[in-house]
Amino acid sequence: PAAPPPESYFRANEFSIGLFAAYDWTRNDNVRAIGDHAWGGGIDGQYFLLRYLGFSVDGNFFNEMPGDFFGSTVTGNVILRYPLDLKYPNFHLAPYVFGGVGGVFNSNNVFTRAATFGHAQNLNRRNTDDEVLGDAGAGFEYRFTPHIGVFSDFRYQFVNESKNNFMTTRFGLRFAF
């Protein structure tokens, strides 16, 4: 009998943690979210109930430019992925799309105080409020082993009127369990 095909590196009932660097940018200086652009990073957690369907929660912490203000986003997303190693053995790439809802936090609140060890009053964007945001995007994840991989994605963030929307690009390392 023929040998069974190699197992996919992407599994059902899989939990993963990702660490990432992020760059946020906009076409105009929006006053409700990030300013002109922002550099940062964060962490996410994903759970895939099925090989193709999962959920994630992520936090992105960033430094807004100009002005050197601190901000953060927290989002929850539904993820659809298609592991290409199901069709092409030993090619462990999975494109994915996602969408969800969360918030952008750049005023003096519990998120910014915790991330700056209580010194957020000197780092927050002036004259802003925390806002609800929606996001949608797409990306790729490549696995070197069933438990270690890299990912990159692009997301569009919808924040209280189109002039306040912004884009985020993330690149990071993923650990799957």
Side-chain angles (χ1 to χ4, degrees):
E7 184 67 25
S8 174
Y9 282 8
F10 301 91
R11 303 169 307 277
N13 295 314
E14 174 182 83
F15 176 74
S16 65
I17 295 175
L19 302 171
F20 60 86
Y23 177 67
D24 304 320
W25 77 97
T26 185
R27 292 185 300 262
N28 58 337
D29 180 31
N30 71 47
V31 296
R32 304 296 278 189
I34 65 161
D36 291 330
H37 62 98
W39 289 98
I43 187 168
D44 71 9
Q46 296 182 341
Y47 178 72
F48 277 85
L49 182 62
L50 306 171
R51 187 185 315 251
Y52 307 102
L53 175 66
F55 306 94
S56 73
V57 174
D58 64 72
N60 179 19
F61 306 96
F62 51 83
N63 188 36
E64 304 173 20
M65 299 294 176
D68 199 27
F69 298 112
F70 176 82
S72 62
T73 61
V74 176
T75 55
N77 289 296
V78 174
I79 307 167
L80 298 172
R81 74 176 176 194
Y82 184 75
L84 296 177
D85 58 4
L86 295 172
K87 191 165 182 96
Y88 306 103
N90 300 318
F91 186 58
H92 306 293
L93 182 70
Y96 58 90
V97 296
F98 58 89
V101 66
V104 60
F105 305 98
N106 54 12
S107 64
N108 190 6
N109 60 47
V110 68
F111 291 107
T112 54
R113 284 193 302 274
T116 59
F117 305 105
H119 302 291
Q121 64 273 12
N122 299 326
L123 299 171
N124 296 359
R125 194 165 172 82
R126 292 181 213 52
N127 302 319
T128 63
D129 294 317
D130 301 334
E131 295 286 346
V132 172
L133 67 81
D135 74 341
F140 294 96
E141 180 178 350
Y142 182 82
R143 296 267 176 95
F144 301 108
T145 73
H147 304 288
I148 300 172
V150 293
F151 68 96
S152 182
D153 59 35
F154 168 83
R155 57 184 61 202
Y156 192 85
Q157 314 270 2
F158 303 92
V159 182
N160 186 13
E161 300 178 13
S162 63
K163 68 180 178 180
N164 300 311
N165 297 345
F166 62 98
M167 288 76 60
T168 300
T169 301
R170 305 183 320 159
F171 181 78
L173 187 60
R174 181 155 327 276
F175 302 96
F177 309 96

